[in-house]
Amino acid sequence: MFFRRLRRHLNNRNTTGNRDGNRDTRPRIFPNGAHILIIGMLIPSFLWTFALVLYPPSVFTGNFPNSNVFLLTAHPDDESMFFGPTLHRLSKNNVSVNIICFSTGDNEGIGHVRKAELEAAVSYFGSEKNPVNLLQIVDKPNIFPDSMTVEWNSTLLALHTKDIIESYISPENKDSINILTFDYFGVSGHANHRALFHAAKLLSDESRIAAYSFKPENGGSTTKREEESILPQNVVSTKYHVWTLKSVPIYRKYIFVLDSFISYLSYFASEEALKKKSFTIVSSFEEYSKTLSAMTKAHVSQMKWFRYAWTIFSRYMVVNDINLLDEEYNLGF
Ligand SMILES: *[C@@H]1O[C@H](CO)[C@@H](O)[C@H](O)[C@H]1NC(C)=O
Ligand SMILES: *[C@@H]1O[C@H](CO)[C@@H](O)[C@H](O)[C@H]1NC(C)=O
């Protein structure tokens, strides 16, 4: 019954769609819109699944001492546009996630709106058991304005970072703190992103000098420590481990999850020493959809057409390569 009706329906359709009146009974062999749509969704899903086999969400290779991390960003939405995959994975692995954003994103005069958007966005990161622990938005436009052309003073930025972190961290965790931020290119080359890298590097260098100089077997003394100090005050007694988000060249930037395969190949081509200091995270479908919601439902004022394109095509929405910065390797791309 049903099939007869269906056949009649299909026949009618063919007849009406055929201008010269001959009924075309040949099976359709050319793909129509539905085929293209189905294939267009199957292939990416298959590749994404394959990427998750290479980088299983259950395996976390990052080793974060003391299980705390402070993410330094420059503008509200940096955390969602660039760091989503890492934030989800850290939280899933019981790492306490803290976000310090160094501007309200007031470049177009809507800093107060964007501040509220960031506060809403953090609820998409972290789980019920382990929500984002701290969000601090620094509103100091005279020293850290949201601007592509103003270079933030990285010394000042390092001092601010240190003050904020040390006011939150308990004394027993003070000898080991993780900072996560941009690498020296800062994904897009934005001056504010790069300044964050330089500030984090100052803290990393400074804490290494401190660790070295204070040891008498290295000929260290407090005087020597002060001479070598990069920061103006003799400030750093904490060990800062700095993790950076690797910037990729433009041809890798807009190929979404496919870029994880390039990460995979480049990892195996890299030196042994470097392998120990880097890892890649690929978001699961669920994690990606949360990052997508953070962008589209929280950072509403930012959702121009090119941001929609970003959320669909950018590899940073699903893939993050994280490198540990230390004295031997100044990792970038
Ligand atoms: C995170 O902590 C919960 C309980 O606090 C525990 O059940 C879970 O196994 C932990 N997860 C990891 C990955 O350590
Ligand atoms: C950056 O700030 C520090 C500390 O206030 C200051 O000593 C230094 O001169 C500043 N650097 C520049 C380039 O303004």
Side-chain angles (χ1 to χ4, degrees), residues 225-240:
R225 162 93 183 82
E226 273 161 13
E227 278 166 13
E228 287 184 348
S229 188
I230 314 165
L231 290 168
Q233 298 137 37
N234 198 6
V235 285
V236 174
S237 57
T238 306
K239 175 74 187 154
Y240 290 97

Side-chain angles (χ1 to χ4, degrees), residues 33-309:
H35 291 136
I36 292 172
L37 194 71
I38 290 168
I39 292 169
M41 284 170 72
L42 274 181
I43 293 178
S45 314
F46 172 77
L47 291 172
W48 197 342
T49 308
F50 187 52
L52 290 173
V53 173
L54 297 181
Y55 294 110
S58 55
V59 176
F60 184 61
T61 37
N63 174 22
F64 288 79
N66 272 334
S67 290
N68 63 59
V69 67
F70 287 81
L71 169 66
L72 312 183
T73 62
H75 318 104
D77 79 6
D78 286 351
E79 81 298 334
S80 306
M81 282 179 69
F82 311 118
F83 293 95
T86 311
L87 291 181
H88 291 305
R89 203 54 54 85
L90 289 172
S91 155
K92 198 174 278 177
N93 285 276
N94 294 342
V95 175
S96 164
V97 172
N98 305 277
I99 301 175
I100 307 172
C101 180
F102 275 93
S103 83
T104 59
D106 198 38
N107 197 19
E108 291 164 344
I110 52 164
H112 58 290
V113 174
R114 299 194 63 190
K115 209 174 154 186
E117 288 176 350
L118 175 53
E119 282 156 7
V122 295
S123 65
Y124 292 95
F125 298 97
S127 58
E128 241 169 75
K129 269 193 220 151
N130 187 19
V132 170
N133 184 51
L134 164 79
L135 170 65
Q136 170 113 5
I137 304 171
V138 178
D139 188 5
K140 298 203 167 165
N142 51 336
I143 43 174
F144 307 131
D146 170 11
S147 167
M148 308 255 274
T149 48
V150 178
E151 299 279 340
W152 292 354
N153 180 330
S154 50
T155 308
L156 218 50
L157 201 51
L159 292 173
H160 268 77
T161 304
K162 178 201 156 284
D163 283 349
I164 295 171
I165 291 179
E166 293 189 359
S167 70
Y168 281 103
I169 205 83
S170 56
E172 67 268 23
N173 286 342
K174 261 198 167 149
D175 41 332
S176 193
I177 291 177
N178 298 288
I179 290 179
L180 170 65
T181 194
F182 295 98
D183 69 358
Y184 76 91
F185 186 69
V187 177
S188 57
H190 197 298
N192 298 163
H193 300 176
R194 302 174 75 145
L196 287 170
F197 167 77
H198 290 296
K201 186 164 182 342
L202 277 178
L203 288 175
S204 161
D205 290 347
E206 187 70 21
S207 54
R208 206 163 35 242
I209 293 170
Y212 181 86
S213 309
F214 276 134
K215 283 186 188 148
E217 68 266 30
N218 295 329
S221 67
T222 312
T223 327
K224 183 161 180 276
R225 162 93 183 82
E226 273 161 13
E227 278 166 13
E228 287 184 348
S229 188
I230 314 165
L231 290 168
Q233 298 137 37
N234 198 6
V235 285
V236 174
S237 57
T238 306
K239 175 74 187 154
Y240 290 97
H241 304 270
V242 176
W243 305 83
T244 60
L245 175 67
K246 186 182 159 92
S247 300
V248 295
I250 184 105
Y251 60 87
R252 293 183 58 181
K253 215 167 162 181
Y254 299 102
I255 55 173
F256 203 59
V257 76
L258 273 186
D259 195 47
S260 61
F261 301 112
I262 302 182
S263 291
Y264 194 78
L265 295 177
S266 55
Y267 176 85
F268 281 100
S270 62
E271 294 167 49
E272 281 308 311
L274 212 143
K275 281 183 186 169
K276 290 197 191 101
K277 294 164 188 160
S278 61
F279 61 95
T280 297
I281 295 166
V282 176
S283 273
S284 67
F285 304 103
E286 191 202 350
E287 288 169 335
Y288 167 68
S289 80
K290 282 190 194 162
T291 311
L292 189 61
S293 298
M295 279 307 286
T296 55
K297 294 182 185 158
H299 292 294
V300 179
S301 72
Q302 300 307 299
M303 292 311 290
K304 318 267 161 54
W305 71 267
F306 53 89
R307 287 273 155 63
Y308 280 102

